[in-house]
Amino acid sequence: MRVLVTGSAGFIGSQIVEALVAHGHEPVPYDVRADPASDVRDADAVRHALTGVDAVCHQAAMVGLGVDFADAPEYVSHNDLGTAVLLAAMAAAGVRRLVLAGSMVVYGEGRYTCARHGTVRPGPRAVADLDAGRFEPPCPVCGADLSPGLVGEDAPVDPRNVYATTKLTQEHLAASWARATGGSAVALRYHNVYGPGMPRDTPYAGVASFFRSALARGEAPRVFEDGGQRRDFVHVRDVAAANVAALEADSRGGALTSYNTGSGEPHTVGEMAHALAGAHGGPEPVVTGEYRLGDVRHITADSARLRAELGWKAAVGFAEGMREFAGAGMRGA
């Protein structure tokens, strides 16, 4: 299969290129960082790149929470306009297979259970609560403590920042393209991807990157809130393998199918910081009590659908992956 990989020079895209080659496919790299002419917003360049292509693996995106709302036009331009241009070119070229880099951020907060009211959806956390160090969202009905659980793909979506909104819009665009063309679209909703080659020293990187960069400078990782935020840290090689599995699966024309893509092993941010620091040889993390508006408290995946339908499962365990990451190189800003 000849596969156009947008964002092919990036952290995840470069691993997908390697995985495609290992599985006997021919990747067609496309990344503005490697070639300024390879911008997914450039319709002529995209049309040319699609020549002879059987499928597209769309990884190109502006990622992370960003600096502030002033980033909104750039996020929308790169993520949503870029996706629209790509899909329009695919429709014209007759390319009918798409795997999209989705994200767990489309859910907002994760799944919570109240002892009295069952499954509930807490709203955004109040600034007054965060300032007071009350980080756990209460039951929106009775105010009681909640138990976090795993989020399935059928959970309501609730994007709570600009990046999350653009990632959900990408899925909607892909679904519209699939309906209009009869094409097959898969969105892999990545959870917290980490591993060798992560970008460093940039506000658009993930928390694992921040911690690893601090350790490389000999500084203690700074853990926000109380470190109890639950996440699903999934290794980049496992994410690349999920992309190959999605490309090789039987196609389902005319619709978008979304899959959570996580390790299935929830861990707290504090646990991750301690695992990295321990593997790196210190210094130990510092819990700051600081917070970022737009962050959610707990979000962990139920990836059972991906395992059942595509036969994929994470192969790199948390401890093994953190040991590797602690000693791995990172990309410069």
Side-chain angles (χ1 to χ4, degrees):
M1 190 184 304
R2 196 161 189 262
V3 183
L4 179 70
V5 182
T6 70
S8 58
F11 167 48
I12 298 174
S14 60
Q15 292 281 347
I16 292 171
V17 168
E18 292 185 13
L20 285 168
V21 172
H23 283 77
H25 301 294
E26 180 187 353
V28 179
Y30 191 89
D31 195 303
V32 71
R33 286 165 291 191
D35 177 3
S38 296
D39 191 323
V40 290
R41 297 168 295 180
D42 185 330
D44 290 335
V46 172
R47 281 195 293 268
H48 178 73
L50 286 169
T51 303
V53 161
D54 304 301
V56 173
C57 191
H58 184 31
Q59 306 295 311
M62 188 173 176
V63 301
L65 193 58
V67 177
D68 54 37
F69 199 81
D71 286 330
E74 284 296 293
Y75 273 108
V76 172
S77 177
H78 283 87
N79 298 357
D80 298 337
L81 175 60
T83 298
V85 170
L86 173 65
L87 293 172
M90 290 174 65
V95 179
R96 296 292 182 262
R97 196 172 191 92
L98 170 72
V99 176
L100 171 69
S103 175
M104 56 85 182
V105 295
V106 301
Y107 297 116
E109 284 286 354
R111 184 179 186 273
Y112 292 86
T113 302
C114 172
R116 290 181 58 194
H117 297 101
T119 300
V120 294
R121 296 280 295 178
R125 294 178 292 173
V127 171
D129 286 338
L130 295 170
D131 285 341
R134 295 187 294 270
F135 301 120
E136 294 288 344
C139 174
V141 181
C142 66
D145 293 341
L146 298 174
S147 299
L150 300 180
V151 180
E153 291 88 350
D154 296 329
V157 291
D158 184 17
R160 296 190 178 181
N161 55 57
V162 171
Y163 171 63
T165 301
T166 64
K167 295 307 290 184
L168 182 57
T169 300
Q170 284 185 310
E171 289 197 23
H172 289 322
L173 288 167
S176 296
W177 166 85
R179 286 192 295 269
T181 65
S184 167
V186 169
L188 298 175
R189 290 176 175 171
Y190 302 158
H191 280 248
N192 290 68
V193 186
Y194 74 96
M198 281 194 86
R200 66 182 177 192
D201 301 325
T202 165
Y204 304 97
V207 64
S209 172
F210 295 150
F211 292 167
R212 177 65 179 79
S213 294
L215 289 165
R217 295 191 299 267
E219 301 171 3
R222 294 175 58 82
V223 179
F224 279 16
E225 302 187 17
D226 59 1
Q229 310 95 298
R230 285 162 52 96
R231 297 290 187 269
D232 186 319
F233 299 100
V234 58
H235 196 278
V236 66
R237 287 197 299 274
D238 286 328
V239 168
N243 276 269
V244 175
L247 285 164
E248 293 179 342
D250 292 338
S251 61
R252 179 187 170 197
L256 170 76
T257 305
S258 297
Y259 293 103
N260 287 333
T261 309
S263 71
E265 298 181 39
H267 289 274
T268 68
V269 171
E271 288 171 344
M272 188 266 286
H274 281 284
L276 265 182
H280 190 271
E284 284 297 297
V286 174
V287 177
T288 69
E290 298 172 83
Y291 64 87
R292 296 191 307 177
L293 282 176
D295 277 350
V296 299
R297 180 61 175 175
H298 303 297
I299 177 67
T300 52
D302 181 352
S303 299
R305 179 186 291 178
L306 183 56
R307 292 193 298 270
E309 297 186 8
L310 300 189
W312 171 93
K313 67 176 181 178
V316 182
F318 178 76
E320 172 194 355
M322 289 298 162
R323 283 194 300 269
E324 179 195 22
F325 184 43
M330 299 177 70
R331 296 171 186 257

